[in-house]
């Protein structure tokens, strides 16, 4: 299938730290790719470049062949909202909002009517194994439960690509497996592409393909 994301020659410097030094990665539509590698090797920076959150100093990222750098900030942030979903290690839910409203939020931002957004959000709960917890605040749920809500929130508006940075990093292994099963199953059902950073081989085992980042470069197979 076709490349949805293609990063070539990415270089990114933070002061005297060279986080990326010529990183290349191609992700095909519908693929689940895990990015592994030592701490500080540039994994998060690569993920953020792919998602258009940060702009590389050199090199480019193309989405469907279109360079992200060709878009202005506003177009890029609209693209992120309409086409991308994000799951982080923890803390991305709005603490003041009940679980159901956290899931509804991206739909509301995308222009859905409140009634429709809430109905779509409600329909996630059986699948999350969280029936009856619709009105819990994030702080009233376990880490695994709130991370499942975070996965639903990332996928609710039908993103084309889900970026996950250590999505199981704060969880025990059982809760981590539940989050990964949910993420991969929901993404495959929706035809979404997944790019995830993890240091756990067990988590990477859910991917179609694993690449390794070392010293700011992608060193393992860039093609399956
Ligand atoms: P990884 O995700 O593999 O741990 P990162 O991409 O987070 O690696 O970081 C790569 C290198 O860049 C590290 O040395 C890190 O300390 C540095 N770095 C990342 N982000 C910043 C930043 N915003 N400011 C300064 N240095 C940074
Ligand atoms: P990870 O665990 O994914 O490598 P970190 O916890 O190192 O991420 O970094 C969290 C955030 O802080 C990221 O947005 C990263 O860009 C930023 N960051 C990482 N290293 C540094 C640094 N040395 N100085 C400033 N910001 C940094």
């Amino acid at each position: 299938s076709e490349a949805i994301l293609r990063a070539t020659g990415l270089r990114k410097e933070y002061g005297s730290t060279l986080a990326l030094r010529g990183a290349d990665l191609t992700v095909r539509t519908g693929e689940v790719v895990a990015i592994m590698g030592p701490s500080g090797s540039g994994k998060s920076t690569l993920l953020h470049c792919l998602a258009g959150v940060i702009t590389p100093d050199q090199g480019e990222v193309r989405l469907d062949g279109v360079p992200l750098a060709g878009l202005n900030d506003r177009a890029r942030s609209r693209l992120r909202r309409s086409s991308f979903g994000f799951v982080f290690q923890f803390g991305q839910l709005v603490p003041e909002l009940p679980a159901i409203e956290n899931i509804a939020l991206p739909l509301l931002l995308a222009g859905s009517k409140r009634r429709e957004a809430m109905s779509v959000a409600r329909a996630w709960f059986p699948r999350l194994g969280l029936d009856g917890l619709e009105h819990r605040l994030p702080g009233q749920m376990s880490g695994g439960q709130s991370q499942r809500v975070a996965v639903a929130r990332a996928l609710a508006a039908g993103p084309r690509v889900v970026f996950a940075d250590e999505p199981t990093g704060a969880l025990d292994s059982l809760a981590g497996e539940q989050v990964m099963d949910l993420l991969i199953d929901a993404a495959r059902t929706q035809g979404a592409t997944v790019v995830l950073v993890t240091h756990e081989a067990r988590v990477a085992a859910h991917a179609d393909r694993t690449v390794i980042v070392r010293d700011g470069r992608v060193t393992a197979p860039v093609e399956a």
Side-chain angles (χ1 to χ4, degrees), residues 14 17-19 37-46 165 197 213:
Y14 295 106
T17 302
L18 196 48
S39 180
S41 59
K43 304 182 294 296
S44 290
T45 304
L46 173 61
D165 197 348
V197 166
V213 174

Side-chain angles (χ1 to χ4, degrees), residues 169-189:
L171 304 177
D172 64 40
S173 57
L174 174 59
E177 280 302 298
Q178 290 174 337
V179 164
M180 286 308 299
D181 285 341
L182 173 69
L183 171 62
I184 303 303
D185 179 64
R188 289 203 198 282
T189 302

Side-chain angles (χ1 to χ4, degrees), residues 59-179:
E60 68 173 10
V61 175
R62 288 172 180 253
L63 175 71
D64 298 324
V66 177
L68 295 184
L71 307 172
N72 62 27
D73 286 353
R74 195 154 152 226
R76 204 158 41 236
S77 85
R78 188 168 348 109
L79 177 77
R80 274 201 304 273
R81 222 167 25 229
S82 65
S83 301
F84 296 162
F86 294 89
V87 183
F88 304 102
Q89 189 165 345
F90 55 81
Q92 71 263 43
L93 297 177
V94 180
E96 295 82 8
L97 290 182
I100 188 169
E101 299 208 23
N102 266 285
I103 298 173
L105 206 54
L107 290 151
L108 292 170
L109 290 173
S112 293
K113 298 254 192 310
R114 183 169 170 81
R115 212 186 148 81
E116 167 69 12
M118 292 296 273
S119 145
V120 170
R122 188 178 309 279
W124 274 90
F125 281 81
R127 182 173 190 189
L128 299 177
L130 298 177
D131 252 330
L133 301 192
E134 288 83 349
H135 297 285
R136 288 276 178 94
L137 294 172
Q140 297 170 325
M141 293 186 295
S142 71
Q145 290 174 334
S146 57
Q147 201 63 344
R148 297 208 292 280
V149 172
V151 168
R153 181 165 101 159
L155 282 150
R160 299 186 56 215
V161 185
V162 179
F163 294 97
D165 197 348
E166 297 283 5
T168 63
L171 304 177
D172 64 40
S173 57
L174 174 59
E177 280 302 298
Q178 290 174 337
V179 164

Side-chain angles (χ1 to χ4, degrees), residues 7-25:
T8 47
L10 300 186
R11 183 183 168 93
K12 180 70 187 176
E13 235 177 277
Y14 295 106
S16 60
T17 302
L18 196 48
L20 294 178
R21 56 182 92 208
D24 301 316
L25 181 63

